Amino acid sequence: MKLVSHLPKPGFWMYLGPVLNVLLLLLLFFLLGSNFVIQSGVAVKLPESASRLSGFERAQVVTLPSGNDSSMYFNGRPVTYEELGRQLELKKTEGRRLIIHADGGAPLGGRFQQVSNLALRMGYEVAFATQPSR
């Protein structure tokens, strides 16, 4: 005895939903995955350089915007120089790497030198963030 199905054959539209779902997930994965570049959350115009920063994936980030005010940001939150020292001391267990995002128009003396010297005294490796030259 041969069994024959009398149900209609599934159409193309039945398989389109799962395919679109997979494509959407892949698209989201690649769009969000490309955003793993280190960003501080504060707008600064980085100086240009031909060198590449490597090995600082889990580093702490200090941002120094240009201007006369003495504002600085540690991992996107505003801090004073004293608070920065305390935060760096607390974060030593997470790794001893620090990236300084200093605005290209900011002078290299003053806050920039103070922050880098503080981090070096505490045993951090310091890197200066730049953007690729055109």
Side-chain angles (χ1 to χ4, degrees):
M1 170 182 225
K2 184 175 181 184
L3 296 175
V4 177
S5 173
H6 295 288
L7 295 174
K9 293 207 182 240
F12 167 76
W13 299 108
M14 182 176 165
Y15 300 108
L16 186 63
V19 170
L20 289 177
N21 192 12
V22 168
L23 288 176
L24 179 66
L25 288 174
L26 285 173
L27 179 68
L28 284 174
F29 175 76
F30 286 115
L31 285 177
L32 295 176
S34 66
N35 203 13
F36 289 124
V37 177
I38 301 170
Q39 296 180 359
S40 66
V42 180
V44 293
K45 184 181 181 310
L46 296 174
E48 292 183 2
S49 173
S51 64
R52 296 275 178 187
L53 181 64
S54 62
F56 278 75
E57 291 84 18
R58 296 182 45 190
Q60 307 302 324
V61 178
V62 173
T63 306
L64 303 171
S66 65
N68 294 333
D69 63 344
S70 61
S71 63
M72 69 178 71
Y73 299 86
F74 181 71
N75 291 335
R77 293 177 309 219
V79 293
T80 63
Y81 182 74
E82 294 78 22
E83 291 172 358
L84 177 63
R86 287 192 295 271
Q87 289 294 323
L88 287 174
E89 188 66 40
L90 290 173
K91 299 286 185 173
K92 273 187 179 180
T93 59
E94 295 178 17
R96 292 180 183 240
R97 294 187 173 171
L98 180 74
I99 299 174
I100 298 179
H101 280 229
D103 193 282
L108 289 181
R111 291 181 298 142
F112 183 83
Q113 197 67 37
Q114 286 177 339
V115 169
S116 61
N117 286 337
L118 173 67
L120 289 171
R121 275 195 310 269
M122 297 179 89
Y124 278 84
E125 292 179 55
V126 178
F128 306 110
T130 59
Q131 66 182 355
S133 47
R134 296 179 180 106

